[in-house]
Amino acid sequence: MGPINKPGPVTIGQVPKWRDHRSTITTSTHRGNHHRMPKPYDTLSYNFANGSSCIDFFTTWRANTTISNCNAISLLVENSNAFFHTLSSAAGTSLILDTSCSANVTKCTTIMNDLAADLIKSANCGSDYENNNSVVKGLYRDLIAYEPMYSATCLTNPSTEDYCFVDAVSNSTAPDDYTVYLMPLGTPLTVGAVPTCNKCLKATMALFARWAKYDGQSLDTTYLPSAKIVNAHCGTGFAATNITVGSVVTAGAGLAAPLSNLGIVTAMALVLGATLTSLF
């Protein structure tokens, strides 16, 4: 399935140092910060073969607070004009991540998976999905990418005391730091990419390697070619390549949540434990 076109990376200002509770690269547990969150598909023009049924489905789920309260970053990165413009503010981007990372990831993963399953039903947007409508295919992809995107964008960097994602969009000298976060959404790194070979990249690639094993995630096609590009730049073994992508088949072709059942803290410990030992 083809990715939705998105403007290139945005350079933002100096990363703020105003937040607390930082320790190691881990999943953020920040709370609070009530502010206006960007919404997905805020400039969507409906063009569905399934007509009113698919339009009604989009209208209904976008108005559903149970869904919107998850504040899924996977739905914003390529589908929100407001989010794109927020990337010009380090503080604003951090606030968005504070809100997104405070969601119950296990509950929200189930919500996103259920929505993905409903999306492709014939009574909703099934025919558009089968006809490769880019919006419908993209939404399905982004829904099942919820948890890997949550986990990656909620990692924090002990060196900068901020989210790795904020560091990535802040780095004007290495735009590929941001491009790394498009991998779960179907866009691999391109040959010649030069991301910064730091703790954040190593931890993020370790996380993506775990998710690439699951059939139905976009990472099952984007991870390995990207990992080889990272290793060409950062050195052999920086990113794991001795994995079998798509080897774990889950019910619903990618709709299962393999890490959620463990709880996010336990899951991240399993994924990043060995990496963190070598980083600090």
Side-chain angles (χ1 to χ4, degrees):
M1 62 186 76
I4 299 173
N5 292 330
K6 179 189 181 302
V10 178
T11 301
I12 62 179
Q14 180 63 37
V15 177
K17 305 295 183 182
W18 48 265
R19 292 190 288 125
D20 53 11
H21 339 330
R22 297 292 197 268
S23 55
T24 60
I25 290 184
T26 185
T27 299
S28 174
T29 57
H30 305 150
R31 293 290 188 267
N33 297 307
H34 298 290
H35 63 289
R36 185 176 180 84
M37 283 290 291
K39 301 299 181 183
Y41 298 99
D42 50 4
T43 58
L44 177 64
S45 296
Y46 295 113
N47 183 23
F48 302 133
N50 216 22
S52 61
S53 63
C54 196
I55 293 174
D56 289 345
F57 181 80
F58 266 76
T59 301
T60 300
W61 79 257
R62 291 183 68 237
N64 187 323
T65 55
T66 299
I67 296 169
S68 62
N69 286 343
C70 289
N71 296 301
I73 294 297
S74 65
L75 297 181
L76 297 177
V77 170
E78 296 185 316
N79 304 305
S80 174
N81 188 56
F83 180 74
F84 172 74
H85 288 292
T86 301
L87 294 179
S88 63
S89 166
T93 305
S94 294
L95 283 172
I96 288 173
L97 292 181
D98 281 343
T99 301
S100 178
C101 295
S102 71
N104 183 319
V105 64
T106 302
K107 178 180 178 180
C108 286
T109 297
T110 299
I111 290 170
M112 298 302 158
N113 289 346
D114 288 347
L115 182 60
D118 288 341
L119 172 70
I120 60 177
K121 290 179 178 178
S122 58
N124 296 319
C125 299
S127 61
D128 287 281
Y129 183 85
E130 294 299 326
N131 290 328
N132 293 315
N133 179 281
S134 61
V135 174
V136 175
K137 297 283 278 192
L139 175 58
Y140 180 87
R141 175 200 63 216
D142 297 347
L143 288 168
I144 65 172
Y146 168 75
E147 191 174 355
M149 281 295 288
Y150 172 100
S151 301
T153 56
C154 294
L155 291 176
T156 58
N157 188 336
S159 299
T160 62
E161 299 184 348
D162 218 310
Y163 293 103
C164 290
F165 181 83
V166 173
D167 288 350
V169 295
S170 298
N171 193 347
S172 61
T173 63
D176 288 312
D177 287 1
Y178 175 80
T179 308
V180 167
Y181 292 92
L182 302 183
M183 290 165 53
L185 305 179
T187 302
L189 294 177
T190 57
V191 174
V194 286
T196 304
C197 305
N198 59 11
K199 300 169 186 176
C200 281
L201 178 63
K202 191 170 185 66
T204 301
M205 293 301 289
L207 172 69
F208 288 167
R210 175 70 177 250
W211 278 96
K213 297 176 183 178
Y214 289 88
D215 182 47
Q217 289 286 339
S218 293
L219 284 163
D220 69 4
T221 59
T222 62
Y223 174 76
L224 272 184
S226 299
K228 292 174 182 178
I229 291 169
V230 167
N231 286 349
H233 174 58
C234 298
T236 302
F238 188 91
T241 55
N242 59 338
I243 65 170
T244 303
V245 297
S247 58
V248 180
V249 179
T250 57
L255 291 179
L259 297 186
S260 289
N261 293 332
L262 298 174
I264 190 65
V265 175
T266 302
M268 293 302 295
L270 289 174
V271 173
L272 301 179
T275 301
L276 295 178
T277 300
S278 64
L279 289 178
F280 297 104

